[in-house]
mmCIF file of all heavy atoms in Angstrom:
data_model
loop_
_atom_site.group_PDB
_atom_site.id
_atom_site.type_symbol
_atom_site.label_atom_id
_atom_site.label_comp_id
_atom_site.label_asym_id
_atom_site.label_seq_id
_atom_site.Cartn_x
_atom_site.Cartn_y
_atom_site.Cartn_z
ATOM 1 N N HIS A 91 -86.675 -70.549 -74.297
ATOM 2 C CA HIS A 91 -87.066 -71.956 -74.209
ATOM 3 C C HIS A 91 -85.943 -72.725 -74.879
ATOM 4 O O HIS A 91 -85.955 -72.901 -76.091
ATOM 5 C CB HIS A 91 -88.371 -72.221 -74.955
ATOM 6 C CG HIS A 91 -89.573 -71.575 -74.348
ATOM 7 N ND1 HIS A 91 -89.914 -71.726 -73.022
ATOM 8 C CD2 HIS A 91 -90.522 -70.765 -74.864
ATOM 9 C CE1 HIS A 91 -91.024 -71.061 -72.771
ATOM 10 N NE2 HIS A 91 -91.410 -70.448 -73.870
ATOM 11 N N GLY A 92 -84.976 -73.161 -74.119
ATOM 12 C CA GLY A 92 -83.803 -73.803 -74.705
ATOM 13 C C GLY A 92 -83.123 -72.815 -75.624
ATOM 14 O O GLY A 92 -82.784 -71.707 -75.205
ATOM 15 N N VAL A 94 -84.477 -71.410 -78.160
ATOM 16 C CA VAL A 94 -85.453 -70.487 -78.758
ATOM 17 C C VAL A 94 -85.704 -69.305 -77.820
ATOM 18 O O VAL A 94 -86.061 -69.495 -76.657
ATOM 19 C CB VAL A 94 -86.806 -71.207 -79.016
ATOM 20 C CG1 VAL A 94 -87.818 -70.252 -79.647
ATOM 21 C CG2 VAL A 94 -86.605 -72.432 -79.875
ATOM 22 N N GLN A 95 -85.499 -68.088 -78.340
ATOM 23 C CA GLN A 95 -85.814 -66.920 -77.524
ATOM 24 C C GLN A 95 -87.286 -66.567 -77.751
ATOM 25 O O GLN A 95 -87.675 -66.100 -78.820
ATOM 26 C CB GLN A 95 -84.906 -65.743 -77.869
ATOM 27 C CG GLN A 95 -85.074 -64.617 -76.851
ATOM 28 C CD GLN A 95 -83.867 -63.701 -76.752
ATOM 29 O OE1 GLN A 95 -83.119 -63.561 -77.717
ATOM 30 N NE2 GLN A 95 -83.678 -63.085 -75.601
ATOM 31 N N ALA A 96 -88.109 -66.835 -76.741
ATOM 32 C CA ALA A 96 -89.551 -66.641 -76.883
ATOM 33 C C ALA A 96 -89.964 -65.207 -76.586
ATOM 34 O O ALA A 96 -91.033 -64.757 -77.003
ATOM 35 C CB ALA A 96 -90.298 -67.597 -75.968
ATOM 36 N N GLY A 114 -100.700 -59.732 -81.093
ATOM 37 C CA GLY A 114 -99.662 -60.410 -81.866
ATOM 38 C C GLY A 114 -100.227 -61.671 -82.472
ATOM 39 O O GLY A 114 -101.251 -62.179 -82.018
ATOM 40 N N ARG A 115 -99.567 -62.141 -83.484
ATOM 41 C CA ARG A 115 -100.024 -63.360 -84.156
ATOM 42 C C ARG A 115 -99.785 -64.583 -83.277
ATOM 43 O O ARG A 115 -99.106 -64.504 -82.269
ATOM 44 C CB ARG A 115 -99.230 -63.546 -85.452
ATOM 45 C CG ARG A 115 -99.621 -62.563 -86.522
ATOM 46 C CD ARG A 115 -99.425 -63.185 -87.906
ATOM 47 N NE ARG A 115 -99.862 -62.270 -88.929
ATOM 48 C CZ ARG A 115 -99.038 -61.546 -89.687
ATOM 49 N NH1 ARG A 115 -97.728 -61.656 -89.533
ATOM 50 N NH2 ARG A 115 -99.513 -60.726 -90.590
ATOM 51 N N ASN A 116 -100.276 -65.725 -83.728
ATOM 52 C CA ASN A 116 -99.998 -66.988 -83.043
ATOM 53 C C ASN A 116 -98.491 -67.178 -82.901
ATOM 54 O O ASN A 116 -97.757 -66.968 -83.856
ATOM 55 C CB ASN A 116 -100.551 -68.178 -83.830
ATOM 56 C CG ASN A 116 -102.066 -68.192 -83.847
ATOM 57 O OD1 ASN A 116 -102.690 -67.606 -82.962
ATOM 58 N ND2 ASN A 116 -102.632 -68.844 -84.830
ATOM 59 N N GLY A 117 -98.081 -67.549 -81.703
ATOM 60 C CA GLY A 117 -96.668 -67.835 -81.477
ATOM 61 C C GLY A 117 -95.799 -66.613 -81.279
ATOM 62 O O GLY A 117 -94.578 -66.714 -81.230
ATOM 63 N N SER A 118 -96.410 -65.425 -81.153
ATOM 64 C CA SER A 118 -95.612 -64.209 -81.015
ATOM 65 C C SER A 118 -95.055 -64.039 -79.598
ATOM 66 O O SER A 118 -94.171 -63.216 -79.380
ATOM 67 C CB SER A 118 -96.443 -62.983 -81.408
ATOM 68 O OG SER A 118 -97.590 -62.906 -80.601
ATOM 69 N N GLY A 119 -95.568 -64.802 -78.651
ATOM 70 C CA GLY A 119 -95.013 -64.757 -77.300
ATOM 71 C C GLY A 119 -95.939 -64.200 -76.241
ATOM 72 O O GLY A 119 -95.521 -63.949 -75.108
ATOM 73 N N ARG A 120 -97.215 -64.014 -76.572
ATOM 74 C CA ARG A 120 -98.151 -63.419 -75.588
ATOM 75 C C ARG A 120 -98.314 -64.288 -74.345
ATOM 76 O O ARG A 120 -98.226 -63.792 -73.226
ATOM 77 C CB ARG A 120 -99.508 -63.166 -76.255
ATOM 78 C CG ARG A 120 -99.472 -62.036 -77.270
ATOM 79 C CD ARG A 120 -100.654 -62.103 -78.183
ATOM 80 N NE ARG A 120 -100.706 -63.425 -78.789
ATOM 81 C CZ ARG A 120 -101.798 -64.046 -79.156
ATOM 82 N NH1 ARG A 120 -102.949 -63.481 -78.995
ATOM 83 N NH2 ARG A 120 -101.738 -65.242 -79.700
ATOM 84 N N SER A 121 -98.553 -65.577 -74.558
ATOM 85 C CA SER A 121 -98.750 -66.453 -73.394
ATOM 86 C C SER A 121 -97.458 -66.592 -72.594
ATOM 87 O O SER A 121 -97.487 -66.676 -71.359
ATOM 88 C CB SER A 121 -99.248 -67.828 -73.830
ATOM 89 O OG SER A 121 -100.506 -67.694 -74.448
ATOM 90 N N THR A 122 -96.346 -66.589 -73.298
ATOM 91 C CA THR A 122 -95.051 -66.640 -72.616
ATOM 92 C C THR A 122 -94.881 -65.422 -71.712
ATOM 93 O O THR A 122 -94.428 -65.544 -70.572
ATOM 94 C CB THR A 122 -93.910 -66.692 -73.658
ATOM 95 O OG1 THR A 122 -94.085 -67.843 -74.480
ATOM 96 C CG2 THR A 122 -92.552 -66.734 -72.991
ATOM 97 N N LEU A 123 -95.288 -64.263 -72.201
ATOM 98 C CA LEU A 123 -95.214 -63.038 -71.397
ATOM 99 C C LEU A 123 -96.093 -63.173 -70.146
ATOM 100 O O LEU A 123 -95.656 -62.878 -69.030
ATOM 101 C CB LEU A 123 -95.661 -61.841 -72.254
ATOM 102 C CG LEU A 123 -95.803 -60.501 -71.542
ATOM 103 C CD1 LEU A 123 -94.499 -60.087 -70.866
ATOM 104 C CD2 LEU A 123 -96.248 -59.410 -72.533
ATOM 105 N N THR A 131 -92.718 -69.323 -65.671
ATOM 106 C CA THR A 131 -91.635 -69.697 -66.574
ATOM 107 C C THR A 131 -90.434 -68.826 -66.211
ATOM 108 O O THR A 131 -90.596 -67.662 -65.887
ATOM 109 C CB THR A 131 -92.085 -69.528 -68.047
ATOM 110 O OG1 THR A 131 -91.169 -70.182 -68.899
ATOM 111 C CG2 THR A 131 -92.201 -68.084 -68.475
ATOM 112 N N GLU A 162 -104.622 -69.276 -70.639
ATOM 113 C CA GLU A 162 -105.251 -69.586 -71.930
ATOM 114 C C GLU A 162 -105.964 -70.946 -71.839
ATOM 115 O O GLU A 162 -107.040 -71.136 -72.399
ATOM 116 C CB GLU A 162 -104.077 -69.533 -72.923
ATOM 117 C CG GLU A 162 -104.097 -70.210 -74.185
ATOM 118 C CD GLU A 162 -102.790 -69.878 -74.951
ATOM 119 O OE1 GLU A 162 -101.692 -70.329 -74.550
ATOM 120 O OE2 GLU A 162 -102.884 -69.191 -75.963
ATOM 121 N N ASP A 234 -105.275 -64.108 -70.345
ATOM 122 C CA ASP A 234 -104.798 -64.594 -71.637
ATOM 123 C C ASP A 234 -105.977 -65.031 -72.503
ATOM 124 O O ASP A 234 -106.549 -66.087 -72.295
ATOM 125 C CB ASP A 234 -103.823 -65.758 -71.398
ATOM 126 C CG ASP A 234 -102.953 -66.056 -72.619
ATOM 127 O OD1 ASP A 234 -103.236 -65.501 -73.701
ATOM 128 O OD2 ASP A 234 -102.001 -66.845 -72.483
ATOM 129 N N GLU A 235 -106.343 -64.213 -73.462
ATOM 130 C CA GLU A 235 -107.430 -64.482 -74.412
ATOM 131 C C GLU A 235 -108.726 -64.949 -73.750
ATOM 132 O O GLU A 235 -109.200 -66.058 -74.003
ATOM 133 C CB GLU A 235 -106.962 -65.506 -75.452
ATOM 134 C CG GLU A 235 -105.770 -64.974 -76.223
ATOM 135 C CD GLU A 235 -105.630 -65.622 -77.588
ATOM 136 O OE1 GLU A 235 -106.636 -65.705 -78.294
ATOM 137 O OE2 GLU A 235 -104.505 -66.018 -77.931
ATOM 138 N N GLN A 267 -106.471 -61.544 -79.208
ATOM 139 C CA GLN A 267 -106.341 -61.673 -80.676
ATOM 140 C C GLN A 267 -107.396 -60.842 -81.378
ATOM 141 O O GLN A 267 -107.193 -60.404 -82.494
ATOM 142 C CB GLN A 267 -106.561 -63.130 -81.084
ATOM 143 C CG GLN A 267 -105.422 -64.049 -80.805
ATOM 144 C CD GLN A 267 -104.715 -64.464 -82.085
ATOM 145 O OE1 GLN A 267 -104.526 -63.654 -82.984
ATOM 146 N NE2 GLN A 267 -104.308 -65.709 -82.153
ATOM 147 N N LEU A 282 -96.617 -57.468 -80.239
ATOM 148 C CA LEU A 282 -95.455 -58.347 -80.290
ATOM 149 C C LEU A 282 -95.294 -58.874 -81.706
ATOM 150 O O LEU A 282 -96.247 -59.374 -82.304
ATOM 151 C CB LEU A 282 -95.628 -59.538 -79.338
ATOM 152 C CG LEU A 282 -95.497 -59.282 -77.838
ATOM 153 C CD1 LEU A 282 -95.710 -60.584 -77.068
ATOM 154 C CD2 LEU A 282 -94.145 -58.681 -77.486
HETATM 155 N N1 LIG B 234 -92.447 -74.616 -73.110
HETATM 156 C C1 LIG B 234 -92.009 -74.276 -74.323
HETATM 157 N N2 LIG B 234 -90.923 -74.868 -74.867
HETATM 158 C C2 LIG B 234 -90.457 -74.514 -76.091
HETATM 159 N N3 LIG B 234 -91.016 -73.559 -76.848
HETATM 160 C C3 LIG B 234 -92.097 -72.942 -76.373
HETATM 161 C C4 LIG B 234 -92.669 -73.256 -75.097
HETATM 162 N N4 LIG B 234 -93.744 -72.463 -74.886
HETATM 163 C C5 LIG B 234 -93.842 -71.684 -75.998
HETATM 164 N N5 LIG B 234 -92.865 -71.956 -76.873
HETATM 165 C C6 LIG B 234 -92.647 -71.268 -78.160
HETATM 166 O O1 LIG B 234 -92.506 -69.885 -77.886
HETATM 167 C C7 LIG B 234 -93.166 -69.093 -78.857
HETATM 168 C C8 LIG B 234 -94.214 -68.217 -78.234
HETATM 169 O O2 LIG B 234 -95.293 -69.020 -77.738
HETATM 170 P P1 LIG B 234 -96.552 -68.404 -76.965
HETATM 171 O O3 LIG B 234 -97.377 -69.533 -76.461
HETATM 172 O O4 LIG B 234 -96.079 -67.410 -75.978
HETATM 173 O O5 LIG B 234 -97.309 -67.655 -78.146
HETATM 174 P P2 LIG B 234 -98.698 -66.888 -78.178
HETATM 175 O O6 LIG B 234 -98.418 -65.530 -78.681
HETATM 176 O O7 LIG B 234 -99.389 -67.001 -76.873
HETATM 177 O O8 LIG B 234 -99.494 -67.663 -79.311
HETATM 178 P P3 LIG B 234 -100.854 -68.497 -79.299
HETATM 179 O O9 LIG B 234 -101.601 -68.244 -78.022
HETATM 180 O O10 LIG B 234 -101.602 -67.993 -80.481
HETATM 181 O O11 LIG B 234 -100.432 -69.910 -79.465
HETATM 182 C C9 LIG B 234 -93.738 -70.074 -79.866
HETATM 183 O O12 LIG B 234 -92.824 -70.181 -80.930
HETATM 184 C C10 LIG B 234 -93.828 -71.374 -79.100
HETATM 185 O O13 LIG B 234 -93.731 -72.473 -79.975
#
Side-chain angles (χ1 to χ4, degrees):
H91 293 307
V94 180
Q95 190 156 27
R115 288 210 177 103
N116 292 337
S118 58
R120 290 162 305 149
S121 297
T122 301
L123 173 57
T131 194
E162 157 177 70
D234 197 350
E235 300 204 47
Q267 284 252 40
L282 287 180

